[in-house]
Amino acid sequence: MPAHRCSWDELQTVAWADDAVAWLSGPSEGGNGEVLVASLAGGEPRRVLDGEYRVLSFSTDGNFLLADQRAVDGAPAVGKAVVVPARGGDAIPVAAGDITYPAWAPDGHAIVYVEAPGTLRVVGKPGDTPRDLHQQPDIRAADLDNIDWVPGTMLVSLGEDHPVTFGVNGT
C-alpha cells in the first residue's frame, strides 16, 4: 500500500476491505475529522465523509462503508449511523430512529443494530424498512462498539455479565 500523509496523532480508526482501506483522519480531541478511503493498489485517498465517524466497517464486498459516531463521553451517538459508497457518493442513514451499535450481517448488505431503548433490528439495505428481531431492555453490543458475529451467530449483551447469542434467523 502506498504511503499517505496522515500524522499518527490524526489517525483515529481504520477499517480494511480486500482492496481498500478507510480511516478517520483528524485531531484526537475531535471537531473536524474526515473519513478517507484509499485503494490498496495506489492512488490518492478519497474523502467520503466529514465528521467524527469513529466506528468504520466495509460491507463484505467492499463496495460500501458503514460509519457511526461516538458521543463525547465515548458512548454510542444515537442516530448517526450512515452508509456511503466506498468510491464516494451520498451518505444514506441506516434507518430512521435511535440507531446504536450497527454492524453488517455476514452476507450481503443487511445491517443489524439496536434501536434504543431495547429493540434488536435488521434492515435489508440502508433506508429500507427495518424488521424487529428481539426486544429486551438494556440490549447492546457485546463489545460496546458494534454487534459482532461468529459463524451463524450474532453476539449482543443484555447488561453486565449477561451475554446473549442469536442465530442468524434471530432466534
Side-chain angles (χ1 to χ4, degrees), residues 23-25 33-37 46-53 56 65-68 80 82-84 89-92:
W23 68 95
L24 170 64
S25 178
E34 58 184 9
V35 176
L36 303 169
V37 175
R46 297 172 303 283
R47 183 179 66 215
V48 295
L49 287 169
D50 288 321
E52 297 297 309
Y53 291 94
L56 302 173
L65 183 68
L66 172 62
D68 198 15
K80 300 292 185 180
V82 296
V83 172
V84 64
D90 294 334
I92 302 166

Side-chain angles (χ1 to χ4, degrees), residues 12 15 23-24 26 50 55 70 72 78 95 101-102 106 117 126 134 138 149:
Q12 300 301 312
W23 68 95
L24 170 64
D50 288 321
V55 180
R70 305 295 278 173
V72 174
V78 176
Y101 311 119
H134 184 77
D138 297 327
W149 295 83

Side-chain angles (χ1 to χ4, degrees), residues 51-162:
E52 297 297 309
Y53 291 94
R54 298 185 179 278
V55 180
L56 302 173
S57 63
F58 281 98
S59 59
T60 55
D61 62 10
N63 289 329
F64 296 93
L65 183 68
L66 172 62
D68 198 15
Q69 295 184 353
R70 305 295 278 173
V72 174
D73 65 359
V78 176
K80 300 292 185 180
V82 296
V83 172
V84 64
R87 288 174 177 72
D90 294 334
I92 302 166
V94 168
D98 296 337
I99 297 165
T100 57
Y101 311 119
W104 293 106
D107 296 320
H109 291 144
I111 298 172
V112 66
Y113 62 93
V114 174
E115 183 168 338
T119 302
L120 184 64
R121 293 184 137 186
V122 65
V123 63
K125 67 178 186 176
D128 277 359
T129 302
R131 181 172 59 99
D132 291 356
L133 298 177
H134 184 77
Q135 288 187 329
Q136 188 155 346
D138 297 327
I139 196 167
R140 62 180 186 253
D143 72 355
L144 299 180
D145 274 334
N146 54 20
I147 295 169
D148 286 323
W149 295 83
V150 295
T153 305
M154 71 178 106
L155 306 172
V156 296
S157 175
L158 299 176
E160 195 171 321
D161 301 322
H162 298 288

Side-chain angles (χ1 to χ4, degrees), residues 6-12 24-30 54:
C6 181
S7 65
W8 184 251
D9 63 334
E10 289 187 349
L11 182 64
Q12 300 301 312
L24 170 64
S25 178
S28 58
E29 65 275 1
R54 298 185 179 278

